[in-house]
Amino acid sequence: MSPAARRPTAPDGTTLAHLATIPVRQINRVGDKRAEALAALDIDTVLDLVTHYPRRYIDRTRQADVAGMRMGEESLVLARVVAVRSRRTRQGRALVELDVDDGTGVLRVTFFNQAWRGRQLPAGTEAVFFGKLESYRGKRQFTNPVVDLVGNRTGRIVPIYPTSEKAGIAGWEFGEWVEEALRRSGSLHDPLTPAWRDELDLVDRTTAFAAIHAPESIADKERARRRLAFDELLRLQLEVVMRRQVLERDARGIRHVVGPDHAGHDHDADHDADHDADHDADRVDHGDLAGTFVSGLPFPLTDAQRRAVAEIGEDLAGPLPMHRLLQGDVGSGKTVVALCALLVAVRGGRQGALMAPTEVLAEQHFLSVRALLDGLSVPDSGRLEGRRPVAVALLTNRTGAGERAKLHEGLRSGAVDIVVGTHALLTDEVRFASLGVVVIDEQHRFGVEQRDALRVKGRDAATGEGADPDVLVMTATPIPRTAAMVVFGDLDVTELDELPAGRTPVRTVWARTPTDEDAAWQLVRDEVAAGNRAYVVCPLVEGSERVQASSATQERSRLESGPLAGLRIGLLHGQLKAADKEGVMESFRRGEIQVLVATTVIEVGVDVPEATVMVVEDADRFGIAQLHQLRGRVGRSARPSWCYLLGSAPSPEATVRLEALERSTDGFELADVDLELRGEGTILGTRQKGRSDLKLASLRRGDRPLVEAARRVAESVLAADPGLSHSPQLADEVRLFVGEEEALYLFKS
Ligand code: ADP
Ligand code: MG
């Protein structure tokens, strides 16, 4: 029996955990057949039922007349079906056509690929239809409208459930089951005290559940949504705040020496007795490597970079391990900041690790790290007075066995200062002499567990000796603040909100027609003639890297003998050996190659300031974030740059994407559009399972105050009751919704 089931009710009402133990079958009129249909919608318990919220509401007070509806506008009509015709289109699609009449006029309603509508809506049925009025062959029509069978419901606001009507469950039926479930549950236990509810202007839980399913008014429904959305966010915030508290309690951090030489050495003065930080007096100090590195760069840091380096420096010098997120748009210069952090570890004779989610990204980070560190050296312990370069290594699954063994040895002995790699860094054979700083790129592609897996490599697996490295998480795909608080709630956040000076925003053109496309190729020729360079990103093709590669090869020949004849064209794809890739990139950098035809391997890290044009083929098949990343490969100098997005027949969604890219170069704004289009899942990722609890709360801007309120409540609740041991119902709830796996920290405390 799960712990949740042991505490079915609280003295002050029914808990959600209790509802999770009642099979939906116990609702009157839910027989085997209904229960099966519900199971198909993942509704097994009464809790599932009452948290299956309406998808939308129909405000019957705003009902229209068929006669009075206006073309192109969304309207709602209550009408009776007077005729039904079912047939197939010439393409073989099911087509159901209804004539519906509301007494003022007749409207044609057409459904594609919904053959079951014929059975759902026989002549004589009365239903609500909600859709956009259009004209088809002179007739007024709705295509695939929202339909609700009215039944005997009389409310002014009618909830529409995302039920599968196909499965034979009508909205009104669903509403009745929910009503019964809530009636039988009686008053619900409310984990939020009246004082908090007052302060945050939230209704109580019982009221909220009743109103979300059967609101008196739209305002009523909105109050219910706010409360229930708050609960979703509170559960997540409790989990992340708790997680953070546990991390800090068990932490044994490193007090790195940071800043100019011979300064900041009196760390003993602020020694925090609570934390057993690793700092022995005779630790090596190779001097201010990060400072030397920065002053050797051919450019000054931006103010934002300076701020970030300072914030990170404070974390590194402090007794607690850093858990910080570095957010910055494409081209904002995150790599330099990350390197400053890694070099602080090297300064103290420790090691740094940089983990990337893909081999290509890891390889490219490796190349840029190596290039940036060129010339930087540390004292060589083997040779008196001698110095050696900072040792950087690459570890991916492509690293050959011999080299890998050597590398493992170098990491164990400390001969390798900085390792760049993929998940390959997480394997058991990888042990560090002394891991000081970890940087994880594109964190949202990793799960929390993987972040932890690298973190624990600071300690000896057998003895637990050692210290926890400082962790910096970077994301190149900007995440709106609100979402960041949910997804990365346990991290501090630093934003690089500034691009290096002298960058001109890339002008982006969506080439919709063959003429536009010709203009794109013309621009490529002009720019090359002016001494600049261009990228052509090949269409995404289904299949393996091999298939991608061969399609890129074909595309290159097509361009060579077509629109780009006479130009020196190179080819880059994932199937090339690392050395060949480097060779191609080097030729492109030097200008021997003028146009680089590439797969998305150039998405990240590639850095050639002379590149001023990018042409993305079949751009409608890429996501917003990916196009934004790709586009970041141009506009890397003061020269004006262009990005042409080819795509002539995009879907409506792709149109929104391409238009957004044309309009904006602001990664945060684009991230919001993406969120709007694709929902929260894109950001939350599949690994972050518990996040699926967000049914009502939105990570978009609108719910930001709610996220912040939830954070405040979580912190206050946990300050008074760290392990939630005095609020068992709330603890159960977090476990129940956030998931046992993610709520692990509840049990550890
Ligand atoms: P991203 O944040 O996208 O990872 P990078 O770290 O790859 O950005 O930096 C983009 C480019 O800008 C690189 O060529 C880098 O060398 C350069 N760069 C970084 N910081 C500055 C700066 N302060 N001034 C000028 N160029 C910079
Ligand atoms: Mg980068």
Side-chain angles (χ1 to χ4, degrees), residues 334-335 365 441 476 604-605 633 636:
K334 291 182 292 295
T335 314
H365 271 314
D441 199 12
V604 280
R633 301 308 108 206
R636 295 176 114 11

Side-chain angles (χ1 to χ4, degrees), residues 329-336 361 365 368 441 474 476 604-606 629 633 636:
D329 211 338
V330 188
S332 58
K334 291 182 292 295
T335 314
V336 168
L361 187 48
H365 271 314
S368 46
D441 199 12
M474 301 200 292
V604 280
V606 168
Q629 286 290 322
R633 301 308 108 206
R636 295 176 114 11

Side-chain angles (χ1 to χ4, degrees), residues 77-235:
V77 288
L78 171 63
R80 187 176 299 279
V81 178
V82 292
V84 184
R85 293 173 296 275
S86 295
R87 57 188 174 86
R88 295 211 160 261
T89 64
R90 239 173 279 137
Q91 293 81 32
R93 294 206 288 170
L95 180 67
V96 176
E97 274 179 354
L98 313 177
D99 291 334
V100 305
D101 188 342
D102 76 339
T104 70
V106 176
L107 175 72
R108 163 84 52 91
V109 176
T110 303
F111 297 99
F112 287 102
N113 290 335
Q114 301 179 33
W116 52 276
R117 292 288 191 185
R119 295 188 295 281
Q120 184 202 21
L121 298 162
T125 316
E126 201 175 35
V128 164
F129 299 88
F130 176 79
K132 190 148 102 188
L133 187 66
E134 44 189 52
S135 165
Y136 181 70
R137 296 196 174 146
K139 284 230 163 69
R140 294 147 71 77
Q141 141 168 324
F142 275 176
T143 306
N144 294 340
V146 174
V147 179
D148 187 47
L149 296 180
V150 191
N152 53 5
R153 273 180 303 173
T154 52
R156 289 187 305 136
I157 310 291
V158 178
I160 303 293
Y161 287 95
T163 46
S164 172
E165 287 169 337
K166 257 191 276 194
I169 303 172
W172 61 268
E173 256 182 312
F174 199 88
E176 283 186 356
W177 299 336
V178 171
E179 194 198 316
E180 184 193 328
L182 289 176
R183 186 164 31 78
R184 281 170 51 180
S185 311
S187 155
L188 297 174
H189 165 74
D190 196 332
L192 205 57
T193 61
W196 273 120
R197 293 202 299 262
D198 259 10
E199 186 180 332
L200 302 170
D201 192 22
L202 291 169
V203 297
D204 67 84
R205 185 175 264 178
T206 312
T207 306
F209 269 103
I212 195 95
H213 290 287
E216 295 283 326
S217 64
I218 292 293
D220 198 24
K221 166 230 119 185
E222 189 39 42
R223 277 189 292 274
R225 189 202 76 89
R226 260 191 91 231
R227 168 58 209 262
L228 297 173
F230 175 85
D231 287 0
E232 294 173 355
L233 294 165
L234 177 62
R235 290 188 282 262

Side-chain angles (χ1 to χ4, degrees), residues 474-491:
M474 301 200 292
T475 165
T477 313
I479 292 177
R481 261 279 177 189
T482 319
M485 279 187 74
V486 174
V487 185
F488 299 121
D490 55 338
L491 300 173

Side-chain angles (χ1 to χ4, degrees), residues 263-278:
H265 277 224
D266 57 351
H267 285 300
D268 285 318
D270 64 331
H271 184 81
D272 180 346
D274 288 348
H275 290 99
D276 164 27
D278 171 26

Side-chain angles (χ1 to χ4, degrees), residues 398-443:
R398 277 212 276 257
T399 310
E403 204 180 326
R404 178 186 302 245
K406 228 174 73 194
L407 217 155
H408 286 160
E409 178 45 38
L411 289 172
R412 262 195 294 267
S413 72
V416 172
D417 298 306
I418 294 178
V419 64
V420 180
T422 55
H423 298 84
L425 290 172
L426 300 177
T427 56
D428 283 342
E429 299 83 70
V430 174
R431 302 264 167 75
F432 291 85
S434 171
L435 182 58
V437 173
V438 168
V439 177
I440 302 177
D441 199 12
E442 290 278 359
Q443 161 73 22

